[in-house]
Amino acid sequence: MKLPCITIVMPSFNQAAFLAESICSIVGQNYPNLDFLIMDGGSTDGSVEIIKQFENKLAYWQSKPDKGQTDAIIQGFNLAKGNILTWINSDDILLPNTLWKISQLYD
């Protein structure tokens, strides 16, 4: 069975305190067909350094001013490669096996 590609867009701005845990909750899913994009709005709080630690797990990331959360999500969705598109805030986490459960529902 071919697993669907799941795109997750994470908009973020100055969320360094939460960012690593949120990113780990996604990359820790070990879902093999993940298209994970982080759209940072030009953070100045150390977020970019955290994102760089995970850049080998990301399909794309940027850090530049945007017009807010909705604009960042739209920018990410415009780059998406997935069959399933979603977004998660940079201070939220995914529970274990979430992406696997979603993929089972997609037939």
Side-chain angles (χ1 to χ4, degrees):
M1 174 178 115
K2 186 174 188 294
L3 295 171
C5 181
I6 300 175
T7 294
I8 298 178
V9 174
M10 179 182 286
S12 186
F13 182 67
N14 286 338
Q15 293 289 318
F18 311 102
L19 194 54
E21 183 179 14
S22 185
I23 293 170
C24 285
S25 80
I26 294 168
V27 299
Q29 301 274 320
N30 294 315
Y31 186 77
N33 205 2
L34 176 63
D35 180 43
F36 183 21
L37 301 90
I38 298 178
M39 310 303 283
D40 180 80
S43 294
T44 58
D45 67 343
S47 291
V48 171
E49 289 74 20
I50 293 168
I51 294 168
K52 286 181 180 180
Q53 293 174 16
F54 296 95
E55 66 186 339
N56 65 329
K57 304 281 186 183
L58 303 174
Y60 177 82
W61 74 275
Q62 69 179 31
S63 181
K64 64 181 184 179
D66 53 40
K67 296 174 187 165
Q69 182 181 43
T70 301
D71 182 49
I73 293 167
I74 291 168
Q75 286 183 46
F77 281 173
N78 285 334
L79 298 169
K81 295 182 174 90
N83 307 98
I84 300 168
L85 307 179
T86 191
W87 61 276
I88 185 171
N89 289 324
S90 54
D91 60 353
D92 291 331
I93 60 169
L94 288 183
L95 295 175
N97 299 311
T98 298
L99 299 180
W100 290 95
K101 290 176 183 176
I102 290 169
S103 74
Q104 292 171 351
L105 298 173
Y106 185 84
D107 277 319

